[in-house]
Amino acid sequence: DGGITQSPKYLFRKEGQNVTLSCEQNLNHDAMYWYRQDPGQGLRLIYYSQIVNDFQKGDIAEGYSVSREKKESFPLTVTSAQKNPTAFYLCASSTTGDPGDTQYFGPGTRLTVL
Amino acid sequence: GQQLNQSPQSMFIQEGEDVSMNCTSSSIFNTWLWYKQDPGEGPVLLIALYKAGELTSNGRLTAQFGITRKDSFLNISASIPSDVGIYFCAGQLRGSGGGADGLTFGKGTHLIIQP
């Protein structure tokens, strides 16, 4: 099946620990994205990557880091510098070109920092 | 950053009624997308709009890309129980390098259907 997978579905960590969230896609999409969602809110962009070995900061990149070593994978690390890391994290990927770009989302990872 | 105002925040309707929600932006987009999200799941794409003035349907759903490129609406006709969920609008502006930037999301419209 083609799609976007995120693992795990639920993740618990102690305060002060770094944690890496996985995102894999087999859609052959060039662009990948990470968003954060807080209760009752829309999604906010953390980082995005339009091509392998390149990525850009989104609106709320502080306290997060990413890598894009392979087209299929775009892991997100939530560092201890992120002041309020408990949230629902969503990964997306998109096609590019005509008529436009359409983003498709994975199922999400809910991170709880204790 | 860009701001998207989505309204209404929530809607309480009877099964069978039509639904209308909209988004307005402080600046232009060249793509508008509408998503539906169920609790604890990722958003699912409903309709994508790429051209100002475009009107697109997907079953009982119809969405339009405003002429000014700063607004969009979504209509759902003859609502059914499975329409319950949170609907998000999202806008995207293609970057100066031609690549796709991230989406800017509205805060969502929570649709509740009363029996």
Side-chain angles (χ1 to χ4, degrees), chain B residues 49-56 63-69 71:
Chain B
L49 301 160
Y50 302 112
K51 189 176 175 181
E54 180 181 357
L55 182 72
T56 297
Q64 185 159 30
F65 192 144
I67 287 291
T68 65
R69 295 169 63 191
D71 64 307

Side-chain angles (χ1 to χ4, degrees), chain A residues 60-79:
Chain A
I60 55 166
E62 186 175 350
Y64 299 98
S65 66
V66 293
S67 63
R68 187 86 186 279
E69 296 177 1
K70 297 187 300 182
K71 187 175 185 177
E72 301 80 18
S73 178
F74 190 39
L76 173 75
T77 296
V78 184
T79 75

Side-chain angles (χ1 to χ4, degrees), chain B residues 100-115:
Chain B
D101 292 339
L103 294 171
T104 300
F105 278 80
K107 291 190 176 180
T109 294
H110 194 175
L111 181 60
I112 299 162
I113 299 179
Q114 297 171 325

Side-chain angles (χ1 to χ4, degrees), chain B residues 6-8 11 18-23 33-36 46-49 55-58 60-65 71-77 86-89 109 111:
Chain B
Q6 183 172 352
S7 65
M11 300 183 71
D18 296 343
V19 172
S20 184
M21 59 191 79
N22 68 84
C23 275
L33 304 169
W34 284 92
Y35 291 89
K36 178 175 183 272
L46 299 174
I47 292 182
L49 301 160
L55 182 72
T56 297
S57 293
N58 178 9
R60 293 178 297 107
L61 277 61
T62 302
Q64 185 159 30
F65 192 144
D71 64 307
S72 178
F73 72 75
L74 174 71
N75 288 341
I76 306 173
S77 63
I86 303 176
Y87 292 79
F88 289 99
C89 63
T109 294
L111 181 60

Side-chain angles (χ1 to χ4, degrees), chain A residues 9 31 33 35 37 40-45 48 50 59 88 90 94-108 110, chain B residues 1 30-31 33 35 37 39-45 48 50 86 88 92 94-95 97-108:
Chain A
K9 182 72 171 173
Y33 310 80
Y35 294 87
Q37 187 176 30
Q41 299 295 315
L43 283 66
R44 292 183 292 165
L45 182 65
Y48 64 104
Q50 296 174 353
D59 300 321
F88 191 42
L90 288 154
S94 73
T95 56
T96 55
D98 291 330
D101 308 306
T102 305
Q103 290 188 23
Y104 299 90
F105 284 84
R110 186 167 299 281
Chain B
N30 50 30
T31 298
L33 304 169
Y35 291 89
Q37 186 179 31
E41 303 294 329
V44 174
L45 182 68
Y50 302 112
I86 303 176
F88 289 99
Q92 185 176 51
R94 191 173 270 267
D101 292 339
L103 294 171
T104 300
F105 278 80
K107 291 190 176 180

